[in-house]
Amino acid sequence: MTIEQWCFSFRGRIGRRDFWIWIAIWMILMMIGFVLADQQLLSVQSVAFFLVLLLWPTTAVIVKRLHDRNKKGGWALLLVVAWLLFAGNWQMLAPIWQLGIGRFIPTLITVMMLLDLGVFVGTPGENRFGAPANRVRFHR
């Protein structure tokens, strides 16, 4: 698999190694962006735009990893639900519900998705999404 297919295509499968490599790259890029914004070398709007640009490759990597686990890419929407719950304003609820809906449920969803995508082995052999995952070629 080429880097272009890895970052921009929603077809095929990738293994745990390539998933974790993307997560590490994503975290480093996000830290750099937030540090530059904190030092006022970049505006917050620029960092937000950068975050939006990273959504496509991140989604592509997650969907291909789900394919390797023989699951449809729609399961990635659970991460959107977790983000919405975490970002929501739950002040109108009792404190225990604020904690449960605003923190516990999104954390549970995120941890379960990370376990499923990053720890469990993909489907051996061919599945409905294609041949077994090929490693990404990072050099020509």
Side-chain angles (χ1 to χ4, degrees), residues 12-30:
R13 298 166 55 182
I14 62 168
R16 292 176 294 180
R17 170 189 165 263
D18 297 326
F19 170 77
W20 283 115
I21 288 172
W22 174 255
I23 295 299
I25 290 170
W26 180 81
M27 290 186 72
I28 290 167
L29 290 172
M30 293 305 299

Side-chain angles (χ1 to χ4, degrees), residues 46-119:
S46 297
V47 174
F49 180 71
F50 183 64
L51 174 67
V52 170
L53 289 179
L54 287 177
L55 285 176
W56 186 277
T58 303
T59 306
V61 167
I62 289 171
V63 166
K64 284 193 292 285
R65 183 65 191 131
L66 283 165
H67 287 174
D68 193 45
R69 298 272 302 132
N70 203 22
K71 296 179 180 177
K72 292 184 178 185
W75 282 100
L77 291 174
L78 278 175
L79 292 171
V80 174
V81 169
W83 179 78
L84 289 172
L85 288 172
F86 187 75
N89 182 2
W90 303 105
Q91 296 298 320
M92 72 290 233
L93 299 176
I96 190 72
W97 288 103
Q98 291 175 25
L99 182 66
I101 294 174
R103 298 296 179 260
F104 179 73
I105 293 174
T107 302
L108 181 67
I109 292 170
T110 304
V111 167
M112 294 305 292
M113 287 294 287
L114 273 176
L115 281 173
D116 191 28
L117 299 175
V119 176

Side-chain angles (χ1 to χ4, degrees), residues 30-48:
M30 293 305 299
M31 283 191 296
I32 290 170
F34 288 127
V35 166
L36 291 174
D38 187 52
Q39 299 295 318
Q40 297 179 351
L41 298 171
L42 274 179
S43 68
V44 174
Q45 291 85 1
S46 297
V47 174

